[in-house]
Amino acid sequence: MQSYENPTATFPLQHFIWLPLSALSLIALIVYLFTSNTLLQTSLMTITLIIAIIGGMLARLYGLKLQDRIIWLIALLRYFGQHTKSTELVNFFEASQKIWQDDLGIDVPQKIQDIYSSYLLTI
């Protein structure tokens, strides 16, 4: 289970299906390279495997980028809230809300809104 103390998570589709299939495909490609005589088929297989691996890696990186955004958002909200910088807190949260809605098409997560609200009540 992912938590504040344990920030790692296991995604079964990613870790137990995509990664092993990619490894098996890579091994099959290497065997095929040494047993095949046709350059066109080998090239197409190589390109397909590379595209599949890059696609999986990019999907994983997008999740990490979003997680990084959330961590920075919480850290800055806590900084502004703990140092009683109410103007900066409000401006930062409103700018963050706009970015989340424009770029991602979703609202800021409820837990982050709760952190923001708790600091507004203490200021």
Side-chain angles (χ1 to χ4, degrees):
M1 170 111 189
Q2 189 173 12
S3 65
Y4 183 76
E5 292 82 22
N6 181 19
T8 61
T10 302
F11 299 102
L13 183 64
Q14 173 84 21
H15 293 103
F16 303 121
I17 296 175
W18 179 77
L19 284 174
L21 285 178
S22 294
L24 288 174
S25 297
L26 183 61
I27 292 168
L29 175 65
I30 292 170
V31 170
Y32 190 75
L33 284 173
F34 291 110
T35 59
S36 174
N37 293 331
T38 60
L39 183 62
L40 179 63
Q41 288 178 342
T42 305
S43 301
L44 290 175
M45 237 180 118
T46 305
I47 291 169
T48 304
L49 180 64
I50 290 171
I51 290 171
I53 290 174
I54 290 173
M57 289 171 41
L58 287 177
R60 184 73 177 142
L61 289 175
Y62 292 144
L64 291 173
K65 184 177 178 181
L66 179 60
Q67 184 180 16
D68 191 44
R69 283 185 180 185
I70 291 171
I71 291 169
W72 273 104
L73 176 60
I74 292 172
L76 288 172
L77 283 176
R78 287 185 176 157
Y79 172 78
F80 290 137
Q82 291 172 354
H83 291 86
T84 61
K85 298 183 177 191
S86 59
T87 307
E88 291 91 344
L89 177 66
V90 171
N91 290 340
F92 176 74
F93 185 75
E94 288 176 355
S96 298
Q97 245 182 343
K98 184 174 181 355
I99 290 171
W100 275 66
Q101 289 172 349
D102 292 348
D103 290 354
L104 304 173
I106 57 175
D107 290 330
V108 175
Q110 186 62 43
K111 289 191 176 196
I112 295 174
Q113 292 179 15
D114 294 342
I115 292 170
Y116 171 70
S117 300
S118 69
Y119 283 124
L120 277 184
L121 293 174
T122 60
I123 294 178

